[in-house]
Amino acid sequence: MKLKTRLFSVIMLGSITATPTYATQQEAATASAGEQILDLAKDQLLSGVGSLLFNRFFGSGGPNYVMLSEASLQAIQERVRAEIIRDAEFEFISEFNALESSMEHYSDTARYGRPDLALLSSLLVKSEDVINHRALNARYNNDFYYMADTYALAASVTVAIYTERYLQGYVSKSVVSTKAHNLANILDTMLRQKKTADLPLREQCESPDPYGQVVEYKCSLRDPHGNTLASYVIEPQYPDDEIYWENLKRAKEAEYRKTKFDGIQVVINKLRGL
């Protein structure tokens, strides 16, 4: 009988947590793209020759940064149930789209042996416009820290452009490193505020019905926005129920932290390692 209860709990959990799980997966995917870019940038900085943006990762066949960012923002909006996707955020996405299109064009020309160096200067301006956008400014957007994963990606793209300028002889390696460290500091501030908003997780157990024939505690683990991450019914007559619930809570909290925060922290570490 208890096995059926546990199976039902798992089935219900999959249904209840669909929205927050989607949101955290989108955030993780966005930050992960930033990680890949920084790995490529570091390798190219070490070699000191060639072209970083020559890599097909940055060309028209590479990942769609804007799609990742937009999906992440929309998923976050659903999870926190707040109107954080305003005109500024859509404007940010539009400018990021323009940057991505220009990068694809530069990458495609570089692969044919004739990189558009005039466009490379334009990429620098466009990237600065993106990372300094008002949507990412705390004085304008109170929820700016929810864009930390998107900022992680934008910062990584910016560093890729600085790296390309180094490879083409326009700036020194120290300029790239300084820029990366400055971006890491900003991202670190965003991550700390994001953790403050999304933690701690809260456990709630309803007292049993005094008139019920079965003593049971309906427990749930929720984020600060009210989204259910885990739920289970503890029946004291089953000795392993509390142990099962404690293990489930630990697993869900570990998954929550990994998908929401760890990827951004990796990007911070990689930026500081350049």
Side-chain angles (χ1 to χ4, degrees), residues 128-199:
E128 290 294 330
D129 287 343
V130 167
I131 62 174
N132 291 296
H133 195 277
R134 61 191 177 119
L136 302 169
N137 191 320
R139 289 174 294 180
Y140 177 82
N141 183 4
N142 293 331
D143 301 312
F144 78 105
Y145 47 83
Y146 278 121
M147 298 181 69
D149 59 301
T150 297
Y151 187 86
L153 176 56
S156 301
V157 169
T158 298
V159 168
I161 293 169
Y162 269 75
T163 300
E164 182 71 13
R165 289 178 61 78
Y166 159 69
L167 295 169
Q168 299 301 329
Y170 289 104
V171 298
S172 66
K173 187 183 293 187
S174 64
V175 169
V176 181
S177 179
T178 298
K179 185 65 176 180
H181 280 249
N182 289 340
L183 293 171
N185 292 337
I186 296 172
L187 185 56
D188 184 65
T189 298
M190 296 180 77
L191 178 58
R192 283 188 278 109
Q193 294 197 38
K194 181 180 173 67
K195 286 182 177 179
T196 299
D198 287 339
L199 291 172

Side-chain angles (χ1 to χ4, degrees), residues 240-251:
D240 63 340
D241 261 16
E242 290 191 24
I243 297 175
Y244 178 84
W245 173 236
E246 289 300 321
N247 290 337
L248 181 60
K249 282 192 302 179
R250 278 195 294 270

Side-chain angles (χ1 to χ4, degrees), residues 89-100:
E89 279 81 359
F90 282 116
E91 183 182 275
F92 169 85
I93 291 296
S94 178
E95 292 191 15
F96 205 171
N97 189 30
L99 172 61
E100 181 181 34

